[in-house]
Amino acid sequence: MKILLIFFTFYLISGAVRCFNVSGYSGGSVLVDSGKLWFSDSPKYMAKLPEWRTIINHTKHNKWINEGRFTLFQNNERNLMIYIRDLNQHDAGRYQIGPDGQSIIDMTLNVEEDSCCKVSNRVMVNIGETASFSCEYSQNHINHSKIIFKEGKDSVEEMIRTYTSSTIGRFSGYDCRNKKLIILRITAVTPDDGGVYLCGIWIYRHSFSYSIITTLHLHVITKVGVSSVSGYSGGGLMIKCEHPQYKTKPKYICKESDGCSERKSPGVQDEWMENGDVSLYDNTRAGVLMVFFRELKAADAGTYRCGVNVSHYTEIFTELQLNVKHDFSMIIIISVCVILLLIGGFTLTVWKLRHKRRDPGSVQINSNDDLPTIPSDGLLYAAVSFQKHEESLSDAAVRFSKDDVHCDYTAVSHCMRLN
Ligand SMILES: *[C@@H]1O[C@H](CO)[C@@H](O)[C@H](O)[C@H]1NC(C)=O
Ligand SMILES: *[C@@H]1O[C@H](CO)[C@@H](O)[C@H](O)[C@H]1NC(C)=O
Ligand SMILES: *[C@@H]1O[C@H](CO)[C@@H](O)[C@H](O)[C@H]1NC(C)=O
Ligand SMILES: *[C@@H]1O[C@H](CO)[C@@H](O)[C@H](O)[C@H]1NC(C)=O
């Protein structure tokens, strides 16, 4: 985020109008201490000139009035504060801010494009660890005091004020002048430490003050458990991420090896939603996020974060190791078939070999018969006994397999059937 520079010129034209000249940077924010008391029982308004576009028109007696990026609030000194976030060029111009009928603030806001300072960054930290973050400021504020604020639900609280360094409890602030950085360190981080921090440069001038602010988001993330699950490649897999203590809080799953850049979440609760290759269901009765991988791929394997947003800046998660196994069942079935076929083929071959050896006996030549001694005698073998009857298969004299019957019979079909 940009550092905001507020040139806060404050002069009294009359007893009723106070004119402020404030400058900020595009992308930054402006925090102005009006130096005027906040009158709780008077209505508050803020309008943009010259068209008198109403931004805030509030009659309730709150101490914090917020409309989008515009906020009027009462600080601890009971002063009226003006806080405008995420400035853009369209915000430049004149504003009228009315605490009540007594006096009116006429504020001119200049919004400058600047490349001086870093845009707000996000810091992630695990519970119990030390968070350390820094905000850059420009050279001309090197001698000013630095203040770090934290945004509350409806307040901006001063955390630490420092010229060089100071420590209050777990919080330490350093003004690192040679690098032009404000550094904040928080030790033994708790879930409550998550939130929006404002690195401010507070400049006191006469009876008023102004600030330069960099916004920083601290996310506190806590791992509360580890588990693992396995599935088969090509199959479906259901994962249950259980957060029973945060039933209604929005839940998500993300892949840690991808830096959790893509958080998958159903978007709605108590309804199945598809998101890419998975279907998700955030069950608010059980506090469970169900994640269904419709067709598990090898690339799905890895470490996942099953998280829940406890608050805007606090998350807890369980780590889940997903293993993807190859599905061997088809290979096993094919292997068994191949083995069975091989065994069958082998048996058949052995059987055939055995019977090939016996085949000469299937045509018996009676030794008593007169065998032709001269080849020219031709094929007149009266003593040839040839049998084809199934029942005669048991007869040691003639044996055919069914196949053999067909083949051999064909081969000797010219022979006379004698029985
Ligand atoms: C406000 O300040 C800016 C520079 O900081 C200056 O250019 C501008 O003229 C001032 N406007 C008024 C109304 O004083
Ligand atoms: C502010 O709201 C009141 C009613 O709540 C209305 O009467 C009044 O005209 C509004 N003022 C502006 C400037 O919009
Ligand atoms: C800061 O203070 C030092 C000495 O105290 C001075 O030399 C320097 O000019 C000051 N810088 C600014 C930007 O005011
Ligand atoms: C949880 O919080 C993170 C950070 O604030 C946000 O990006 C994400 O969208 C939130 N997720 C859900 C499911 O609300």
Side-chain angles (χ1 to χ4, degrees):
M1 129 152 204
K2 292 268 161 109
I3 278 189
L4 314 174
L5 192 54
I6 306 166
F7 294 105
F8 177 77
T9 313
F10 170 72
Y11 53 96
L12 223 55
I13 288 177
S14 70
V17 181
R18 286 180 174 192
C19 291
F20 302 160
N21 187 357
V22 171
S23 288
Y25 287 108
S26 183
S29 308
V30 176
L31 180 60
V32 180
D33 183 344
S34 72
K36 287 172 61 65
L37 283 178
W38 172 280
F39 290 98
S40 293
D41 50 357
S42 60
K44 306 287 183 299
Y45 76 85
M46 183 174 191
K48 179 99 191 289
L49 273 55
E51 67 272 28
W52 288 93
R53 178 170 54 87
T54 303
I55 297 166
I56 290 171
N57 180 15
H58 204 91
T59 51
K60 296 206 185 85
H61 304 150
N62 293 355
K63 291 181 174 178
W64 178 271
I65 301 165
N66 184 73
E67 288 292 342
R69 296 179 293 114
F70 298 83
T71 304
L72 300 177
F73 70 97
Q74 184 194 63
N75 73 355
N76 291 339
E77 282 79 47
R78 297 173 47 82
N79 278 0
L80 171 83
M81 306 291 287
I82 305 156
Y83 183 30
I84 308 175
R85 278 161 283 198
D86 302 326
L87 294 175
N88 62 57
Q89 289 294 338
H90 302 291
D91 294 330
R94 272 178 75 202
Y95 293 82
Q96 282 229 339
I97 297 126
D100 60 334
Q102 294 180 351
S103 60
I104 284 165
I105 293 164
D106 186 323
M107 183 175 82
T108 302
L109 173 66
N110 306 296
V111 179
E112 298 173 13
E113 289 296 340
D114 182 69
S115 58
C116 143
C117 303
K118 275 185 279 181
V119 175
S120 79
N121 37 5
R122 290 175 186 275
V123 176
M124 298 275 194
V125 65
N126 287 320
I127 196 160
E129 290 179 353
T130 297
S132 183
F133 48 80
S134 59
C135 314
E136 198 180 340
Y137 57 82
S138 58
Q139 176 70 32
N140 47 336
H141 300 295
I142 202 156
N143 293 334
H144 295 130
S145 72
K146 316 298 187 297
I147 307 180
I148 294 163
F149 301 92
K150 188 181 177 190
E151 266 187 26
K153 193 168 158 284
D154 50 9
S155 63
V156 174
E157 303 292 344
E158 186 178 316
M159 300 289 291
I160 202 155
R161 185 183 291 246
T162 179
Y163 283 90
T164 51
S165 79
S166 62
T167 299
I168 299 172
R170 297 181 297 112
F171 297 84
S172 302
Y174 305 94
D175 183 4
C176 184
R177 292 188 183 187
N178 56 349
K179 289 182 178 160
K180 289 174 281 164
L181 293 176
I182 305 167
I183 298 169
L184 177 67
R185 263 166 61 90
I186 308 172
T187 56
V189 161
T190 69
D192 292 339
D193 291 334
V196 178
Y197 289 82
L198 309 174
C199 297
I201 288 162
W202 206 268
I203 302 162
Y204 300 90
R205 204 160 280 173
H206 309 300
S207 58
F208 57 92
S209 55
Y210 65 98
S211 167
I212 299 167
I213 289 169
T214 304
T215 304
L216 191 136
H217 300 261
L218 179 67
H219 291 258
V220 180
I221 296 185
T222 310
K223 182 157 84 180
V224 292
V226 181
S227 60
S228 76
V229 68
S230 298
Y232 285 104
S233 171
L237 178 70
M238 177 77 88
I239 292 175
K240 287 184 179 177
C241 297
E242 296 182 34
H243 294 290
Q245 65 276 50
Y246 300 108
K247 286 183 165 60
T248 57
K249 301 285 185 184
K251 301 166 198 76
Y252 66 85
I253 188 164
C254 62
K255 202 170 177 184
E256 221 150 47
S257 40
D258 301 343
C260 264
S261 50
E262 195 198 351
R263 286 156 183 257
K264 288 189 174 179
S265 146
V268 292
Q269 296 187 305
D270 298 314
E271 227 176 276
W272 277 107
M273 294 298 284
E274 289 196 2
N275 187 336
D277 295 341
V278 297
S279 301
L280 303 126
Y281 187 99
D282 187 345
N283 183 334
T284 57
R285 286 213 312 180
V288 172
L289 176 69
M290 288 187 278
V291 183
F292 183 62
F293 286 80
R294 292 191 293 275
E295 195 185 334
L296 212 55
K297 297 187 294 292
D300 292 329
T303 308
Y304 288 80
R305 212 178 258 186
C306 274
V308 53
N309 281 12
V310 175
S311 70
H312 201 62
Y313 292 97
T314 307
E315 294 171 33
I316 66 158
F317 71 94
T318 54
E319 202 175 85
L320 184 102
Q321 182 67 43
L322 172 59
N323 305 306
V324 178
K325 298 183 203 166
H326 290 290
D327 190 352
F328 287 116
S329 56
M330 276 314 285
I331 295 172
I332 290 169
I333 289 170
I334 290 167
S335 307
V336 166
C337 289
V338 168
I339 289 166
L340 285 176
L341 281 172
L342 285 174
I343 291 170
F346 180 72
T347 313
L348 197 66
T349 311
V350 167
W351 195 86
K352 271 190 172 180
L353 282 173
R354 272 176 55 203
H355 289 278
K356 269 228 173 82
R357 274 193 285 113
R358 286 183 181 192
D359 272 354
S362 64
V363 175
Q364 289 194 336
I365 295 166
N366 198 323
S367 58
N368 299 330
D369 295 336
D370 294 328
L371 295 177
T373 51
I374 304 158
S376 61
D377 285 351
L379 292 169
L380 296 172
Y381 303 114
V384 169
S385 155
F386 188 85
Q387 295 188 352
K388 180 182 159 284
H389 278 310
E390 294 278 315
E391 54 269 28
S392 68
L393 287 177
S394 58
D395 186 344
V398 178
R399 248 175 243 264
F400 293 113
S401 75
K402 282 199 177 187
D403 298 349
D404 291 343
V405 168
H406 174 72
C407 303
D408 293 359
Y409 190 61
T410 309
V412 294
S413 57
H414 62 282
C415 297
M416 240 171 112
R417 213 172 136 181
L418 298 178
N419 54 336

